[in-house]
Amino acid sequence: GLDISLTSREPLVQHIASRFPNLSFDDVYTAGLSGLWRAVRTFDPSRGSWGCYASMLIKQEIWRYCRKEKRHSYVSLNAVVCK
């Protein structure tokens, strides 16, 4: 079933998340799981290999998280400096 598919593919998320050592592993891993979930739901075998597709979506979600965190950090820093 779907749960087994997700569980068996979590090591891919762990591997990719470990490449972002400057961020909270738990947060990056959670973002990666979101990408994995999206990959499981939308994968079309006629478009290529599962590994490449899943890796791309996992990385996209992690980068989306990184951009969001950077934006929040910048806003927080500005709020402190401008007071």
Side-chain angles (χ1 to χ4, degrees), residues 19-53:
R19 296 181 180 179
F20 296 82
N22 296 333
L23 298 170
S24 161
F25 178 81
D26 290 339
D27 291 342
V28 172
Y29 179 73
T30 300
L33 285 177
S34 177
L36 177 62
W37 174 248
R38 200 171 90 197
V40 167
R41 284 191 344 247
T42 62
F43 178 63
D44 176 3
S46 69
R47 295 178 64 191
S49 78
W50 159 255
C52 290
Y53 182 73

Side-chain angles (χ1 to χ4, degrees), residues 6-21 23-36 54-55 58-59 62:
L6 286 175
T7 302
S8 68
R9 291 177 170 100
E10 284 181 27
L12 177 62
V13 178
Q14 292 171 346
H15 174 72
I16 294 171
S18 70
R19 296 181 180 179
F20 296 82
L23 298 170
S24 161
F25 178 81
D26 290 339
D27 291 342
V28 172
Y29 179 73
T30 300
L33 285 177
S34 177
L36 177 62
S55 295
I58 291 166
K59 290 174 189 174
I62 291 173

